[in-house]
Amino acid sequence: MAIWFRHLMTDGMARRRPDLKELPFVIASSQKNRIIITAASQNAEREGVFTGMAVADARAATADLVVMDELPGQTANLLHLLGLGCIRYTPIVSLDFPNGLFLDISGCTYLWGGERNYLKEIVLKLRENGFDARAAIADTIGAAWAVARFAKINPIVPCREQANAIASLPPAALRLEPEVLDRLQKLGFRTIAPLLQLQNSVLRRRFGQGLLNRIGQALGHVEEFLKPLQPPVPYTERLPCLEPICTAQGIEIAVERLLETLCTRLKAEGKGVRKAILKCYRIDGKKVQAAISTTRGSHSISHLKKLFQLQISKIEPALGIELFILEATRTEDMEAPQEQLWAEAKGLEDIALAELLDRIAGKVGADAIQRFLPSENHWPERSVKLAKCLTEQPQNHWPELPRPIRLLHTPEPIEVMALVPDHPPKVFTYKNKRHIIVKADGPERIGREWWHDQGLHRDYYSIEDSEGNRYWVFRSGHYDGSDARWYLHGYFA
């Protein structure tokens, strides 16, 4: 079955705001510096306002036109809700963006007394809720889609009668691309019937394989599958008991176990409990329950457990409780907090940190985990040293100026072009790749270590190329010196 909502967004808006039902109103969005109507209500269409018109032109047609802004994702959300509502008629419902649904009704219609009663039930239910819906039933998705939108009589296509059902419909009923439809229109194809008479080789040569696929899907020669809509799984946990629970302590244990499972799932999905109900089914057939609510979403087991502990005294177990069901009836999105390794400010003295590093080293190797300390040297490649142990303290401070996240052990020579000799590079070539510099900062001069060896000073620049990659380069020596050369020394994040 294919369902078509002719005024999906405006019907949904009128359902939420009944004051709009008698008014001509449209939903519009900005497109290429123009405000274009993306959905028009039935009252607006009666006054000559249609989807695709500019709002300025529409206001010229009707002075009392109400214009509302289109919100991102609004249409998809509404269609998704309608799809979930149709799951009561069949377990397989698929969204047909932007304004339709597909229902796989195999084996379902007999529950409503046949296909006609089934279709009538769904369409009337949707119309009672304010949606201008049309529907059709056929053996194939393509034929049902075409008949729902373009046929004027008989929405139920008999078995293996797809060709007759779509023959008199326009080519647009085949869900074709606008370019193909425009070509068919220019060639005089007003209905699908002539297309069914032509050879496949002719159609493929003139209109492409897409047209043949659509015809095949409508006639049932090419398979087409639905992507089922997955209904949300309720946040509910069950705990059956082997022996009836009669004590408050037993109820507390049951609540804790249920919370452990429920909160693990909530945390993984970024949700928190706002309201939850604990349902206790007693062996005498009665049900007692306790409810909690929170001021903000929470998936903290200890916090929720304390809230339930305040309610346990109100639960009367009588002869015993044989089943506990914990249901989060209201949840809200929660931003996952960043876990803090140094939350307790123990720093390197934290035993848990040392044990964690030992466990990691046991998996990836001891040499894979290293700690560095600042070393008192001028050259950046000599300004770090390996710490001997976890608790070794640095003797001096790290440089305050930014340093690259990856520093090369040995600077790599590069070819540089600069607009002015003492300016940062404009272009540099490294490993036969040419980098165009768009941003540069510097220089930062670092003097040579004359007590170690002879050499020239370095002028470091932080640069960014046109691809967004950032490098740390330096010129060794003065710019007008004969020994001046450029090197790449590191990569920034």
Side-chain angles (χ1 to χ4, degrees), residues 235-237 255 258-259 262 273-281 287-293 308 311 315 324-330:
Y235 293 101
T236 304
E237 298 295 336
V255 169
L258 289 169
L259 284 174
L262 180 64
V273 172
R274 288 298 308 276
K275 288 186 178 179
I277 298 177
L278 175 67
K279 299 177 181 177
C280 308
Y281 292 85
K287 180 184 72 174
V288 292
Q289 62 184 37
I292 63 167
S293 60
F308 272 115
Q311 306 292 325
I315 298 176
F324 293 93
I325 296 180
L326 179 60
E327 181 180 5
T329 56
R330 182 183 172 191

Side-chain angles (χ1 to χ4, degrees), residues 115-354:
E115 292 179 343
R116 189 163 298 279
N117 290 337
Y118 184 88
L119 185 144
K120 184 179 178 182
E121 164 73 18
I122 294 179
V123 172
L124 290 181
K125 182 65 70 176
L126 290 170
R127 290 179 179 174
E128 286 175 3
N129 284 279
F131 291 96
D132 182 16
R134 293 186 58 179
I137 295 175
D139 287 350
T140 64
I141 296 172
W145 190 94
V147 173
R149 284 164 172 75
F150 293 93
K152 297 181 179 178
I153 57 173
N154 196 13
I156 300 177
V157 180
C159 291
R160 296 181 291 278
E161 292 293 330
Q162 298 89 275
N164 294 331
I166 66 173
S168 59
L169 304 182
L174 292 174
R175 299 176 289 171
L176 299 173
E177 299 293 331
E179 298 78 12
V180 179
L181 287 176
D182 184 59
R183 214 177 308 158
L184 290 169
Q185 178 75 18
K186 290 179 180 177
L187 293 175
F189 288 96
R190 301 290 181 263
T191 64
I192 297 174
L195 298 175
L196 301 179
Q197 305 300 323
L198 294 175
Q199 296 181 355
N200 289 348
S201 58
V202 176
L203 293 175
R204 184 183 299 106
R205 186 171 61 252
R206 298 299 299 270
F207 306 106
Q209 184 63 34
L211 175 61
L212 287 178
N213 290 340
R214 287 304 191 188
I215 293 176
Q217 289 171 347
L219 299 181
H221 301 155
V222 177
E223 288 187 324
E224 187 175 7
F225 301 97
L226 298 178
K227 184 179 180 181
L229 182 65
Q230 298 296 332
V233 180
Y235 293 101
T236 304
E237 298 295 336
R238 298 166 55 90
L239 180 63
C241 305
L242 295 177
E243 297 290 339
I245 302 299
C246 303
T247 63
Q249 185 180 5
I251 297 175
E252 285 185 18
I253 295 173
V255 169
E256 185 174 4
R257 290 187 180 180
L258 289 169
L259 284 174
E260 287 174 355
T261 310
L262 180 64
C263 290
T264 300
R265 181 189 167 197
L266 289 169
K267 186 177 181 180
E269 298 180 7
K271 299 284 187 180
V273 172
R274 288 298 308 276
K275 288 186 178 179
I277 298 177
L278 175 67
K279 299 177 181 177
C280 308
Y281 292 85
R282 304 192 314 204
I283 60 176
D284 60 1
K286 295 184 179 179
K287 180 184 72 174
V288 292
Q289 62 184 37
I292 63 167
S293 60
T294 60
T295 54
R296 53 176 297 182
S298 173
H299 49 236
S300 169
I301 299 175
S302 59
H303 176 59
L304 298 175
K305 181 183 175 184
K306 289 178 182 177
L307 296 179
F308 272 115
Q309 284 175 336
L310 300 175
Q311 306 292 325
I312 287 178
S313 60
K314 302 176 184 177
I315 298 176
E316 176 55 53
L319 299 177
I321 300 171
E322 60 182 357
L323 174 64
F324 293 93
I325 296 180
L326 179 60
E327 181 180 5
T329 56
R330 182 183 172 191
T331 61
E332 71 176 15
D333 295 334
M334 288 185 62
E335 184 176 354
Q338 180 72 33
E339 294 188 4
Q340 300 180 21
L341 188 60
W342 312 101
E344 299 181 1
K346 294 182 180 178
L348 298 176
E349 304 296 332
D350 190 357
I351 297 176
L353 172 64

Side-chain angles (χ1 to χ4, degrees), residues 390-403:
L390 183 61
T391 56
E392 182 181 358
Q393 297 299 318
Q395 301 300 318
N396 53 344
H397 301 287
W398 290 104
E400 296 180 355
L401 294 172
R403 290 291 182 264

Side-chain angles (χ1 to χ4, degrees), residues 417 425-429 433-439 463-469 471:
M417 292 179 59
K426 193 64 180 175
V427 176
F428 80 89
T429 304
K433 183 175 181 181
R434 181 183 173 90
H435 300 266
I436 300 175
I437 308 306
V438 295
K439 295 179 182 177
I463 58 176
E464 179 177 324
D465 67 5
S466 57
E467 298 178 359
N469 301 315
Y471 306 91

